[in-house]
Amino acid sequence: MVVMVLAIGALYSAPNLYGEDPAIQVSGLRGAEINSLVLDSVVAKLDKAQIGFKKSELTTDRILIRLNNSDDQLKAKEAIGDSLGDSYVVALNLAPATPAWLDAIGATPLKLGLDLRGGVHFLMEVDMGEALNKSFTQMEQDFKADLRGEKIRYRTIKRDLAKEAVRIELRSEEDIEIAQDFLEKRYQGYTVFEDNNTNEFDLLVKMTADKIKEIRNYAVEQNITIIRNRVNELGVAEPLVQRQGQDRIVVQLPGVQDTARAKEILGATATLDFRLVDKNGDLSAALNGRVPPRSKLYKDSKVGPVLLEKKVALTGDHIIDATSSFDEYGMPQVNISLDSKGGSKMSAFTKDNVGNQMAVVFIEYKKTDKQDANGKFKLKKIEEVISVATIQGRLGRDFRITGSGSQAEAHNLALLLRAGALIAPIQIVEERTVGPSLGQENIDAGMNAVLLGFGLVLIFMLVYYKKFGLVANVALAANLVMIIGVMSMIPGATLTLPGIAGIVLTVGMAVDANVLIFERIREELKDNRSPQQAIHHGYESAFSTIADANITTFIAAVILFAVGTGPIKGFAITLAIGIATSMFTAIVGTRAIVNATWGGKRIDNLSI
Amino acid sequence: MQLLNLQDTIKFMSIRRFTLAFSLLLIIGSLASFATKGINWGLDFTGGSLIEVSFAESADLQKIRSVMDEEGFRDATVQNFGSSKDVLIRMAPLENAGKTTADSKMVGDRIMKSLTAMDDTATMRRIEFVGPSVGSELREQGGLAMLTALICILIYVAMRFEWRFAVGSVSALAHDVIITVGLFSVLGIEFDLTVLAAVLAVIGYSLNDTIVVSDRIRENFLKMRQGDSEEIIDTSLTQTLNRTMVTSITTALVLVALLLVGGELIKGFATALLFGVVIGTYSSIYVASSIALGLGISKEDLMPTVVEKEGADQDPMMP
């Protein structure tokens, strides 16, 4: 059993020996597909630039080209990046050079933390106050529209800050009942009750705790989707965008050094416009430079060149939600919900335009390198037509766009539509950038510390316990392999500098179990027991001590992992794994060796 | 080979009044230092910005300071970090200067630009920015982690051993934590998240030691027929002394390795742990055991509870 466990540990730690290939990764933006045609053109570009490469891989969402060295990597990025254009992202990557047979059993190398590989870490906070503000404004608008629609007369509807509710002032007791009844039926997730503290006829509408939680979650999830989208544009090989706690988002961009650019892109604002396609305009004339004054020409849209009216039918901030699904024929569609104001605008607008085509324009403001007189960066407005569809009938608050292409494209469109209605702004509350040289230095320093510490302990144990020391040393080496194997096996476990410190500490403390056992054996020998008995008793009586000592330390490590953040977590995980593996190697492992060497024989003195 | 070849029991407990006074003195000293000198909290806990820059040649700190002045960071600290070519610049959070957080976010990039303008060999090694709210949160979290750890350990040891041991070992842990943090306060070494991790690891290490000793004391209480509590504890400590020393040595060896070659970022961590190992070894002998003894631990407390036979206290019905 010991041999098998060790073999598995060694197998899974093996990928770490193979190192990494410098690679170029190509992925598509906004639904641009990755296929063998793209691959062929990439390969052709490389051939033309006379850059040799080891291997090219094509998966559903990316192309990976492994290159011979990092000089070629930079050259290749330039060559490919220039030719592919804006719809593809070309990123530098380090692809693990794990052999296929190891890859097949799921063995992957250790993931390194940002402090070891260099990169940027952002912690962003979603402005929940703003999210709630927007929800209240939304409530006011919706209630007004609906009560009017139901012909329930009210004096005012406005937010009551102190009561954290929307106050509806009505005119009579009957109206209160009717309104309360109506609102309760119409809206889920709110409590509607009469305000008895005033002499007026006032209703208060409050959000339930669940509803508030839903708004919070929505605000965070929405920001995460948008950030993911933008991070893809940055061309980062393995970005991490993850929720942390109630209202925070962690963004980790390995390998990115230019934080200023990263922040610009992450902080870019995006909006959407709905505009009519100019059906009277002459497209071919416009393409030749004669654009009608009321319209604007978009040459490189996804649907080919289109001529759109300048007049905006509806702006994207009215969009509450957009999701992708399938229609009754199994074709992908995008469902859009508008707020009440947007709904009536849309309804009025589409009434007269049934049969006409409507386009969705995605607008992003990005910072450029140019500065204005005040030293502020000029913003570049980037407009893109992301969808053109025919208006089938009068549209209301909820409508759908069909015929937008594949399911992936519908999904993307929904994402972009939602981006137009970012309900809560975010801000960076923590930022850590580690330069590439520092990352490499940290790895070197960590490795040196592990090796030096390991060497010192090996020598000490050998001198102090002689042959038994040798046994302990074998166990210690096995332990190191096991730690790395287990760390590689756990998905999501990353090795950080404090993590290396944890490994070093484990090396020092792992021998403790053997020290306990060996000291016991010595004591037993002193009490004039036979060597065999001494070994047996030594292991037996030391066991409960070792277990107790390790379990308590393990408790401490687990708490560290649960409560701590960042460096503490990295340290805790290696410590916890180290304790578990050291228990195994130091007790079971050494016992197996000891039994194999000294077991079943008559021995007169032990080398201990 | 053996470190100490002990034939006789060392009378550890005979000087326990002296060591208790010594420990108290250290604790009071640490607390006094917290009160007067305070702790040099790192960026993680205070919030603010930090930039590490390296130059091709020895950095001119004066020149960098004047650049910082121009940028409006008069209170920025500029110092060498590790070598004369590396410089660490720290800035307090910009909360009161009437500037928004958006400004402070860009600080790192802005200063990096000015520094490259001053000397084009300047390369960014790391930039950190921690918002003030995050800082105080991390501090709370750290404190919470420490308290939870101590309480959970208290419960486990109380369950596994006996409450007197639990109180003894948790006191020993608190003792170690206070004195280790005290050392950082006295020496003015920066206390950041990594050091916090080290302090928590000290808890783990010291506990390890304490448990081993307590385990032996318990065993000997059950095994040894004669001798009072003090003698039994002395014997147990003597028996485990070799193991205690060997483990401390191996752990200290790896920590020295970390301290020497582990790099600048890990120095605080290694210092805290190295000191913690020494103090933890001491406390497992003198704090944990002597508190358990002071609380009146005795043979009876550790005897497995004898199940009383039902009706044993009644007279037999039949004569």
Side-chain angles (χ1 to χ4, degrees):
Chain A
M1 201 222 6
V2 178
V3 176
M4 221 176 82
V5 173
L6 284 181
I8 291 174
L11 194 63
Y12 278 88
S13 58
N16 295 298
L17 297 175
Y18 289 95
E20 290 166 323
D21 288 333
I24 293 280
Q25 177 184 318
V26 181
S27 46
L29 262 188
R30 302 216 178 108
E33 253 181 81
I34 289 288
N35 51 36
S36 53
L37 286 176
V38 183
L39 178 62
D40 288 345
S41 83
V42 167
V43 171
K45 285 281 154 4
L46 288 177
D47 285 345
K48 207 177 134 203
Q50 291 179 326
I51 301 169
F53 59 91
K54 280 188 192 160
K55 211 175 142 197
S56 64
E57 289 160 33
L58 174 71
T59 58
T60 47
D61 57 350
R62 65 172 196 183
I63 292 173
L64 197 70
I65 311 268
R66 293 169 185 273
L67 297 145
N68 294 319
N69 55 53
S70 46
D71 279 350
D72 279 1
Q73 189 188 19
L74 289 175
K75 278 189 224 156
K77 187 189 175 197
E78 256 170 53
I80 301 172
D82 288 347
S83 61
L84 280 179
D86 284 344
S87 15
Y88 294 92
V89 175
V90 180
L92 300 179
N93 194 355
L94 282 174
T98 312
W101 61 274
L102 275 175
D103 224 18
I105 57 165
T108 49
L110 266 177
K111 281 169 281 302
L112 297 182
L114 283 182
D115 53 350
L116 296 181
R117 59 191 296 197
V120 202
H121 160 105
F122 290 120
L123 186 63
M124 305 193 166
E125 195 169 70
V126 179
D127 188 345
M128 284 303 167
E130 191 54 35
L132 286 178
N133 276 346
K134 284 198 178 169
S135 311
F136 273 112
T137 320
Q138 194 65 51
M139 278 162 73
E140 284 169 29
Q141 283 179 9
D142 289 351
F143 293 163
K144 276 180 192 165
D146 283 336
L147 288 182
R148 223 179 289 139
E150 286 293 306
K151 304 225 160 52
I152 302 169
R153 297 196 307 148
Y154 58 85
R155 279 208 185 92
T156 54
I157 294 182
K158 62 173 188 242
R159 183 176 176 184
D160 188 328
L161 270 175
K163 292 231 160 63
E164 292 173 352
V166 168
R167 175 181 296 274
I168 304 175
E169 291 181 16
L170 295 152
R171 287 168 194 274
S172 66
E173 192 63 46
E174 296 97 77
D175 279 353
I176 283 208
E177 255 170 57
I178 299 168
Q180 187 170 4
D181 213 40
F182 167 70
L183 290 174
E184 270 170 0
K185 270 192 202 125
R186 177 87 169 76
Y187 291 98
Q188 307 293 315
Y190 300 90
T191 47
V192 187
F193 57 95
E194 193 179 343
D195 187 0
N196 294 322
N197 297 329
T198 58
N199 296 325
E200 311 289 323
F201 305 108
D202 284 9
L203 263 187
L204 289 175
V205 186
K206 261 188 141 160
M207 287 185 251
T208 58
D210 280 348
K211 180 81 185 170
I212 294 177
K213 205 169 138 199
E214 191 189 308
I215 291 174
R216 279 173 172 277
N217 280 340
Y218 179 74
V220 176
E221 292 301 323
Q222 192 193 27
N223 269 301
I224 287 180
T225 352
I226 292 165
I227 291 173
R228 281 221 176 99
N229 229 18
R230 292 186 182 155
V231 162
N232 287 341
E233 267 177 68
L234 274 170
V236 179
E238 279 161 41
L240 172 94
V241 182
Q242 208 172 54
R243 181 173 186 165
Q244 181 181 306
Q246 272 207 325
D247 50 7
R248 299 240 168 97
I249 300 168
V250 180
V251 180
Q252 293 196 338
L253 311 173
V256 169
Q257 301 308 329
D258 190 350
T259 51
R261 196 172 101 81
K263 270 182 270 187
E264 274 161 29
I265 293 187
L266 292 181
T269 43
T271 55
L272 281 174
D273 281 349
F274 287 94
R275 286 197 244 165
L276 267 191
V277 173
D278 186 354
K279 59 176 178 183
N280 301 320
D282 186 346
L283 187 60
S284 56
L287 279 172
N288 288 326
R290 288 189 301 278
V291 182
R294 63 171 183 279
S295 303
K296 190 173 173 189
L297 177 69
Y298 292 87
K299 271 191 213 158
D300 307 311
S301 81
K302 258 179 56 193
V303 286
V306 282
L307 202 53
L308 298 187
E309 286 185 5
K310 276 186 184 160
K311 199 183 129 207
V312 175
L314 188 76
T315 51
D317 52 350
H318 291 295
I319 298 174
I320 300 173
D321 196 15
T323 54
S324 64
S325 64
F326 296 98
D327 67 4
E328 50 272 49
Y329 308 109
M331 298 299 287
Q333 65 174 15
V334 179
N335 311 301
I336 299 171
S337 307
L338 301 176
D339 59 13
S340 59
K341 212 169 165 186
S344 40
K345 263 192 174 175
M346 191 53 128
S347 162
F349 170 74
T350 48
K351 188 175 67 178
D352 308 325
N353 284 299
V354 175
N356 291 342
Q357 283 194 309
M358 186 171 65
V360 182
V361 185
F362 186 72
I363 305 159
E364 248 185 312
Y365 294 93
K366 284 184 181 168
K367 278 194 184 154
T368 57
D369 294 334
K370 293 172 201 119
Q371 297 183 0
D372 64 13
N374 299 325
K376 281 201 170 172
F377 288 100
K378 280 184 181 162
L379 293 175
K380 192 170 132 199
K381 187 178 178 187
I382 299 170
E383 289 177 281
E384 194 186 355
V385 180
I386 52 175
S387 151
V388 175
T390 307
I391 301 169
Q392 305 284 1
R394 188 171 174 176
L395 304 178
R397 278 181 62 177
D398 299 293
F399 63 96
R400 58 186 189 176
I401 298 177
T402 50
S404 53
S406 70
Q407 199 221 332
E409 280 175 49
H411 181 70
N412 255 330
L413 179 58
L415 268 182
L416 291 176
L417 286 169
R418 278 205 297 256
L422 193 56
I423 62 167
I426 45 172
Q427 60 166 337
I428 297 173
V429 288
E430 187 186 303
E431 177 199 329
R432 291 169 202 269
T433 312
V434 176
S437 59
L438 184 62
Q440 191 54 49
E441 264 170 49
N442 281 343
I443 295 181
D444 296 344
M447 280 304 288
N448 286 340
V450 171
L451 290 179
L452 182 62
F454 187 62
L456 287 175
V457 172
L458 288 189
I459 294 169
F460 179 85
M461 290 298 282
L462 191 62
V463 171
Y464 197 75
Y465 290 115
K466 303 181 193 82
K467 277 189 189 156
F468 271 75
L470 196 64
V471 174
N473 286 345
V474 172
L476 194 58
N479 186 29
L480 209 55
V481 173
M482 293 271 292
I483 294 178
I484 295 171
V486 173
M487 285 281 289
S488 307
M489 256 188 264
I490 299 177
T494 46
L495 185 67
T496 56
L497 192 59
I500 294 182
I503 294 181
V504 176
L505 185 65
T506 319
V507 167
M509 286 173 64
V511 289
D512 181 50
N514 285 126
V515 172
L516 275 168
I517 296 169
F518 297 167
E519 287 297 324
R520 267 294 168 142
I521 296 179
R522 281 183 173 181
E523 271 176 49
E524 303 284 337
L525 287 174
K526 236 192 251 171
D527 285 352
N528 293 324
R529 290 196 199 248
S530 78
Q532 289 296 358
Q533 269 179 320
I535 292 175
H536 186 71
H537 278 270
Y539 271 95
E540 199 140 274
S541 46
F543 180 77
S544 81
T545 314
I546 298 171
D548 274 334
N550 279 303
I551 287 171
T552 36
T553 316
F554 193 76
I555 293 178
V558 169
I559 293 167
L560 279 191
F561 185 76
V563 189
T565 51
I568 294 191
K569 257 201 166 71
F571 171 73
I573 195 160
T574 47
L575 189 63
I577 293 173
I579 290 168
T581 53
S582 78
M583 285 271 280
F584 177 77
T585 52
I587 301 174
V588 186
T590 59
R591 188 75 203 258
I593 302 176
V594 168
N595 280 354
T597 320
W598 287 280
K601 285 181 247 175
R602 258 199 69 85
I603 13 176
D604 297 326
N605 56 348
L606 280 178
S607 165
I608 186 167
Chain B
M1 190 182 134
Q2 205 151 11
L3 280 180
L4 304 160
N5 201 354
L6 302 166
Q7 301 303 329
D8 302 313
T9 305
I10 303 175
K11 302 254 176 274
F12 285 102
M13 287 299 119
S14 60
I15 55 162
R16 74 170 195 273
R17 280 184 185 82
F18 168 74
T19 56
L20 216 56
F22 176 65
S23 289
L24 277 176
L25 199 71
L26 284 181
I27 290 177
I28 292 169
S30 301
L31 293 177
S33 177
F34 295 158
T36 54
K37 236 182 136 193
I39 296 169
N40 180 11
W41 294 107
L43 181 79
D44 294 327
F45 300 115
T46 56
S49 306
L50 169 159
I51 305 171
E52 192 186 327
V53 195
S54 91
F55 296 90
E57 270 153 38
S58 284
D60 185 348
L61 296 186
Q62 277 312 318
K63 229 165 130 190
I64 297 174
R65 285 198 187 103
S66 65
V67 169
M68 296 303 295
D69 273 358
E70 276 166 37
E71 288 284 345
F73 296 99
R74 261 163 226 295
D75 54 353
T77 56
V78 179
Q79 60 196 150
N80 283 119
F81 189 67
S83 75
S84 63
K85 290 175 189 172
D86 295 325
V87 178
L88 195 69
I89 305 168
R90 266 170 233 273
M91 288 147 287
L94 281 176
E95 42 186 347
N96 303 321
K99 293 182 180 165
T100 60
T101 32
D103 290 327
S104 60
K105 267 186 311 206
M106 289 302 191
V107 158
D109 305 321
R110 212 175 77 209
I111 286 168
M112 215 35 240
K113 247 182 204 153
S114 321
L115 288 179
T116 352
M118 177 196 93
D119 180 346
D120 56 8
T121 63
T123 49
M124 184 275 294
R125 287 166 63 83
R126 101 189 128 101
I127 296 178
E128 293 185 6
F129 160 76
V130 177
S133 62
V134 177
S136 62
E137 239 168 71
L138 285 177
R139 204 160 35 187
E140 267 166 39
Q141 247 178 14
L144 192 70
M146 201 145 358
L147 268 181
T148 330
L150 285 179
I151 291 170
C152 287
I153 288 161
L154 184 75
I155 294 170
Y156 181 81
V157 178
M159 260 166 40
R160 213 46 199 87
F161 293 86
E162 213 260 344
W163 69 269
R164 290 180 185 86
F165 277 124
V167 173
S169 47
V170 170
S171 313
L173 298 183
H175 166 268
D176 300 342
V177 169
I178 293 173
I179 294 175
T180 310
V181 180
L183 177 82
F184 273 70
S185 168
V186 170
L187 297 182
I189 309 174
E190 190 181 301
F191 195 94
D192 58 16
L193 268 181
T194 336
V195 176
L196 179 68
V199 171
L200 291 160
V202 167
I203 293 185
Y205 179 83
S206 163
L207 185 70
N208 207 31
D209 249 9
T210 310
I211 298 280
V212 170
V213 172
S214 307
D215 212 52
R216 186 55 78 93
I217 294 176
R218 179 173 59 175
E219 190 186 319
N220 283 340
F221 264 125
L222 302 180
K223 211 163 67 181
M224 285 168 65
R225 292 272 166 247
Q226 66 262 62
D228 57 10
S229 299
E230 189 170 329
E231 278 171 54
I232 293 176
I233 290 183
D234 275 342
T235 316
S236 314
L237 289 172
T238 312
Q239 284 170 343
T240 50
L241 188 64
N242 257 313
R243 172 265 156 195
T244 309
M245 299 300 286
V246 171
T247 303
S248 300
I249 288 173
T250 54
T251 313
L253 278 178
V254 294
L255 289 172
V256 168
L258 261 186
L259 195 62
L260 291 181
V261 298
E264 204 60 32
L265 286 177
I266 218 79
K267 238 176 202 155
F269 177 89
T271 314
L273 253 175
L274 199 54
F275 183 72
V277 166
V278 175
I279 202 84
T281 308
Y282 159 82
S283 77
S284 65
I285 296 177
Y286 277 110
V287 181
S289 309
S290 58
I291 284 184
L293 186 63
L295 287 172
I297 191 91
S298 68
K299 222 174 252 190
E300 289 71 39
D301 298 322
L302 292 160
M303 283 294 170
T305 36
V306 184
V307 184
E308 275 185 28
K309 214 172 172 186
E310 204 176 329
D313 52 343
Q314 283 170 10
D315 288 332
M317 299 273 282
M318 299 289 286

